[in-house]
Amino acid sequence: MDNAPEIWKHVDDNAPELIALSDRVWGMPETCYQEARSCAEHTAELRRQGFRITENVAGIPTAVMGEAGEGGPVIAFLGEYDALPDLSQEAGVAEPRPLEKGANGHGCGHNMLGSAAMLAAIAVRDWLKESGTAGRVRYYGCPAEEGGSAKTFMVRDGAFEDVDIAICWHPHSVCDVMVAESLANARIDFTFRGRASHAAASPHLGRSALDAVELMNVGVNYLREHVPPESRIHYALIDAGGIAPNVVQANATVRYLIRSPDLKGLLPLIERVKKVANGAAMMTETTVEAHTLSAVANLLGNAPLEAAMRQHLEALGPPDFDDDDRDFASAIQGTYGPEEISDSLHMFGMDGVMPGPLCDRLVPADSPRLGISGSTDVGDVSWVVPTVQMWGATYAIGTPFHTWQMVTQGKNAAAHKGLVHAAKVMAAVGRQAILEPELIAAAKADLRQRTEKTPYVSPLPADLMPPLEM
Ligand SMILES: [Zn+2]
């Protein structure tokens, strides 16, 4: 690793525009495939920066790709900009204060995620130009990470086919190279159909779809004891069949989110949940139809890229937070309990090690981390392209994900510092890969080894199109 400050200068030079982009996207929170304005902002910035632009990637109107540079290897930075429903919140206040009741909010920091990834891409582009080096750098604006698994569709469409390595990050309260692997998951709607009838006069003629949903949920709750302990099965009622208790409900839909440590475990688990659904249909003399909405693979690590990223992260150190940042972070910490704080540190094996309200040291390489129990569609990219990611520190330690506390911190000074910090680490990895073909070769060999015995199969049903109207 040499001369990283050279690329960090390009990050600093471009930071103001990309911080502004992050703040603008924060202010127009859009969810799952509806990110028209956010994607337009990202596209406009790419255009302003002189990138060659491909819109409508994989037939998704809110996906965009920008490329710069000529020849050489192809380095991809993955960005996101989708928000979450019902998380509207004023910025920079340590109390819940919705801007608009029921509206969306950036509760997972994807406004920063996309901007920092683009900032890294721009810095690498500037360095390529200045140094006259051959190489191409791309920014992928990927929508619908929350519940839409757009990257899984983009992988299926071949959007990453000629990419040599992919680099990404996610905002967090701690700074670390992501080494743990995330879970594979699938979202499936089970729709039961029975026969409507008057619930008092002729209940014997009715066949209740709502009964079937309830029996399916009971069945799955019994199934839980007999699945691998790392599996997760969640459900939500999408359609309970109506609000009238005096009719037998003819239609009802329950949405299942099924997670497993890897694809190999996910696919049989889905089949077992389907068996329970069929059993519920049989018991109630209804029919059931399973419709997959989205699915993602587990995240594969990549040892050579993680080692490279760690070197750059250690050379840079943690973000440079100041007392104002820490004061506000302390106020935020006052809105949740000590359990959140200790749990968050425990995830990284940092119990009792980081006493301040913001990340002031890096997680050591040998820290006893726990695995991640969430899922991400970066997983699918990691099966086809060597991929490396980091957690960047932007939030008060312990901030729970998908909460108003995340939204309110999304455009304060600590968030801006954290996003520039992450861009520096990512850009340095990209630059190193362009300069060192042997790093790309080692990363590819590592991926080959991980997928040799279980090649990638898309978890998406072959005929499933991106659920653009979700
Ligand atoms: Zn997220």
Side-chain angles (χ1 to χ4, degrees), residues 169-176 178 319 390-395 418 421-422:
W169 77 298
H170 200 290
H172 204 286
S173 54
V174 168
C175 250
D176 195 14
M178 245 189 243
M390 69 176 275
W391 294 115
T394 58
Y395 296 117
H421 178 265

Side-chain angles (χ1 to χ4, degrees), residues 4-59:
E6 183 191 344
I7 190 102
W8 293 340
K9 185 181 91 56
H10 291 301
V11 174
D12 285 327
D13 288 349
N14 290 288
E17 281 93 340
L18 279 291
I19 286 173
L21 174 68
S22 173
D23 288 357
R24 282 200 302 282
V25 169
W26 185 96
M28 51 178 78
E30 299 166 302
T31 60
C32 208
Y33 292 114
Q34 308 302 311
E35 312 89 343
R37 290 177 65 204
S38 308
C39 179
E41 287 284 347
H42 276 242
T43 307
E45 186 62 32
L46 285 169
R47 193 163 279 136
R48 207 176 66 76
Q49 294 282 348
F51 279 61
R52 302 182 287 273
I53 290 166
T54 307
E55 290 180 277
N56 216 30
V57 179

